[in-house]
Amino acid sequence: MTDKEANCRAMARRAVQKRTDYRKLWEPVAPRMVPDFLKVQQLLADFDAIGTALAGTSNRGNTDAKDRAEDAAVVAAMRVVKGLRNVQLNQYRPELAKAAGYQQSDLDRLRDENLVKALEAIAAAATGVAAAAMAERVMAKRLTALTETMEAYRPLVGTPRGQMLAGSTLRTTGRKLVAQLRTDFEPLDTRMDSLGEEPEFEKMAAEYKKARRVVDAGHGPANDAAAPAA
């Protein structure tokens, strides 16, 4: 499990606990939150099961290196995508539509060769409009970073094998669960924010909002500073 996934899992656990602690307060006035809450609860249970299963896979160091390389490539790619969106603001180019339309959740769902193809497509799109991108002062360093991280990830595609393949499959599921948690927390966040406008729910909403912050637990050297909620 990558640091990002572990941190997201910890956040989800805190947020679900806060929801549970205050359930008798919010459920009577917001019963429509119950199905969304139960959905997030189940996702967290699935996440915990994957974490337990991953603890039993071998050669963790090699797989963690692959995970870190993959995460770095996705971050670099999204910075290029944002640059392409700036270019599109000045002059819409149909050929950029797919590359500029990527969301991080889209890339998070991809693995191995499928992810490499997406990264290559983003890099090619940026190269094709290099002059326009340079005018926006957004692309040169970002494109270089994407190329470097992509080349670091490419040799790891297709590995590991055997038991490690099972670990890789579990990690794919873990990435999907992170993306799904982002989606499924949205209605809960919206409804809780609305409840927080009422005095009797201010404390509950404030504690929940604090719990929804993703905190860097410091598992490894590649971690960023505390990030916003997933």
Side-chain angles (χ1 to χ4, degrees), residues 121-162:
I122 293 169
T127 301
V129 291
M134 288 295 290
E136 290 289 338
R137 300 181 62 189
V138 295
M139 197 60 72
K141 291 183 179 179
R142 295 181 185 184
L143 186 54
T144 297
L146 173 56
T147 300
E148 291 175 349
T149 56
M150 185 168 57
E151 291 306 315
Y153 176 64
R154 197 193 305 274
L156 302 176
V157 169
T159 60
R161 294 289 187 262

Side-chain angles (χ1 to χ4, degrees), residues 159-229:
T159 60
R161 294 289 187 262
Q163 183 179 2
M164 288 300 294
L165 180 59
S168 180
T169 301
L170 287 169
R171 287 176 177 83
T172 299
T173 304
R175 288 175 66 89
K176 290 181 178 178
L177 283 174
V178 168
Q180 191 62 48
L181 277 170
R182 290 194 185 103
T183 299
D184 288 350
F185 263 119
E186 287 178 3
L188 291 175
D189 293 345
T190 299
R191 293 184 190 280
M192 185 63 86
D193 187 56
S194 180
L195 282 177
E197 297 294 323
E198 303 297 326
E200 62 266 39
F201 301 118
E202 284 182 359
K203 180 181 177 182
M204 174 186 69
E207 290 185 10
Y208 172 75
K209 186 175 182 179
K210 182 178 180 180
R212 278 284 286 122
R213 299 290 296 180
V214 177
V215 178
D216 178 4
H219 296 290
N223 291 331
D224 296 325

Side-chain angles (χ1 to χ4, degrees), residues 2-7 68 71 215-226:
T2 66
D3 291 348
K4 181 175 70 174
E5 290 166 1
N7 293 336
R68 288 193 297 271
D71 286 344
V215 178
D216 178 4
H219 296 290
N223 291 331
D224 296 325

Side-chain angles (χ1 to χ4, degrees), residues 43-111:
L43 281 172
L44 179 57
D46 293 343
F47 218 151
D48 287 341
I50 287 172
T52 300
L54 279 172
T57 59
S58 62
N59 297 324
R60 179 173 178 176
N62 293 335
T63 302
D64 283 350
K66 180 179 180 181
D67 290 338
R68 288 193 297 271
E70 187 173 89
D71 286 344
V74 169
V75 168
M78 286 308 303
R79 288 173 178 160
V80 172
V81 167
K82 290 176 181 178
L84 291 176
R85 291 173 186 164
N86 285 345
V87 173
Q88 289 286 70
L89 289 175
N90 293 327
Q91 179 184 344
Y92 180 76
R93 294 168 169 83
E95 67 274 17
L96 295 185
K98 183 175 181 179
Y102 275 111
Q103 302 294 328
Q104 181 160 338
S105 58
D106 298 326
L107 298 180
D108 281 343
R109 293 186 180 97
L110 301 177
R111 299 288 283 192

